[in-house]
């Protein structure tokens, strides 16, 4: 069973959209898929899957009122089963270690080719631990500055979680990390390559254990909500930061353009790849699914091989972004050519969008003024 945790540093970047539709795409390929809603406290994967809200979920199982097998739902889609979340659980921060371990144990014994975990946004320890169930978890982000930054910070927290896990309490390495942690200024300046250098001096044995795990760690990136091919370049910022500061290489699984059809599909209670399988967003998800299917037999003999492979994935993602954008523009040209969309229609659309942008700018300026006034009055953010 290949475990695919899907996470993000920031909410609202399309994790659940990807989780649901990727599960269906893999199921259509003949693979047995189990998809679990682990965004506890904000469970909504059932809506994207087009399922009714279930009275029984992970909370029912953890409270001892149901076996794990009895909360699993047959979705009606070929080869896809669903583990509902539970809004009664206020998030991973409140999930006890025993509950987390019980949940992991039961999920891992399931018979499936793929186990997709739709995780919550952020860096709670529970989210990090679920993400580390696989060395090839997926991080979903968007081109915005905050989403890019949060994606990097999420990976940074994952690596530091791995770092702490390699050193037992009271070991020389653990004591060094605790000392470093107590000095927040030093912690901000110290990145993985420098920390490793220092740890090798005080605890070489456990440092090698960490490095061994880090070499196996091959996270994958998906850039969602693109509007322009140039947005794909922003993934390179995360990649460079991960290489320089975290000592890890990212694989780029692909790009997905922003498409309002997903909102229409959601309102229709249908996953977008079933609502309109030939839409650009659906084709992007199928393309990602194909890469995952092909990666089942991928092996990397050493770090150099993997680094070379990740170079190719970023080049491929850039090409996909250009191709999809040309397809998007070609569709508009076809509409104009068929007279389904006139130049005046386009002008009206642009005028409407410009008005919406101007309204947002005014609201933004108003909020800035309010924040400035609050700061002047002594409030702290």
């Amino acid at each position: 069973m290949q475990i695919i945790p899907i996470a993000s540093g920031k909410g609202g970047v399309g994790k659940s959209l990807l989780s649901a539709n990727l599960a269906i795409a893999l199921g259509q390929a003949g693979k047995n898929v189990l998809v679990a809603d682990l965004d506890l406290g904000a469970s909504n994967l059932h809506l994207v899957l087009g399922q009714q809200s279930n009275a029984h979920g992970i909370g029912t199982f953890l409270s001892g009122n149901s076996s794990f097998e009895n909360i699993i739902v047959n979705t009606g889609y070929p080869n896809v089963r669903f583990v509902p979340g539970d809004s009664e659980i206020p998030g991973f921060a409140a999930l006890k270690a025993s509950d987390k371990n019980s949940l992991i144990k039961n999920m891992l014994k399931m018979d499936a080719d793929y186990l997709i975990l739709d995780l919550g946004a952020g860096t709670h320890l529970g989210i990090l631990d679920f993400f580390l169930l696989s060395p090839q978890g997926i991080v979903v982000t968007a081109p915005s500055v905050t989403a890019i930054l949060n994606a990097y910070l999420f990976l940074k927290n994952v690596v530091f979680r791995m770092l702490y896990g390699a050193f037992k309490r009271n070991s020389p390495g653990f004591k060094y990390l605790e000392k470093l942690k107590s000095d927040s200024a030093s912690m901000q300046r110290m990145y993985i390559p420098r920390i490793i250098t220092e740890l090798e001096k005080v605890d070489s044995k456990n440092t090698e254990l960490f490095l061994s795990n880090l070499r196996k760690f091959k996270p994958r990136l998906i850039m969602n909500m693109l509007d322009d091919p140039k947005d794909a370049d922003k993934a390179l910022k995360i990649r460079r930061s991960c290489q320089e500061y975290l000592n890890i290489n990212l694989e780029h699984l692909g790009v997905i353009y922003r498409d309002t059809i997903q909102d229409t599909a959601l309102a229709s209670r249908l996953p977008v790849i079933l609502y309109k399988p030939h839409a650009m967003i659906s084709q992007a998800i199928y393309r990602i699914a194909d890469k995952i299917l092909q990666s089942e037999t991928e092996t990397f003999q050493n770090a150099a091989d993997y680094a070379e492979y990740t170079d190719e994935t970023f080049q491929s993602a850039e090409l996909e972004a250009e191709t999809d954008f040309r397809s998007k523009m070609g569709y508009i040209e076809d509409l104009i050519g068929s007279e389904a969309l006139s130049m005046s229609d386009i002008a009206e659309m642009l005028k409407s969008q410009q008005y919406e942008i101007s309204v947002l700018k005014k609201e933004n300026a108003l909020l800035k003024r309010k924040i400035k006034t609050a700061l002047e009055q002594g409030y702290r953010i």
Side-chain angles (χ1 to χ4, degrees), residues 31 54 56 77 87 94 97 129 193 215 239 247 270 281 286 352:
K31 299 298 179 181
N54 202 298
H56 301 292
Y77 308 125
S87 58
D129 288 343
R215 283 190 285 268
R239 187 193 186 199
N247 219 23
L270 272 176
I281 188 171
Y286 279 124
S352 174

Side-chain angles (χ1 to χ4, degrees), residues 366-378:
L366 177 62
L367 287 171
K368 283 182 178 179
R369 286 198 299 273
K370 287 184 176 180
I371 291 170
K372 183 181 177 182
T373 302
L375 289 171
E376 290 171 350
Q377 292 174 352

Side-chain angles (χ1 to χ4, degrees), residues 239 243 249-250 306-316:
R239 187 193 186 199
Q243 287 175 328
N249 277 306
L250 282 176
Y306 183 67
E308 184 178 342
Y309 172 71
T310 57
D311 285 342
E312 294 175 2
T313 65
F314 272 79
Q315 292 166 8
S316 174

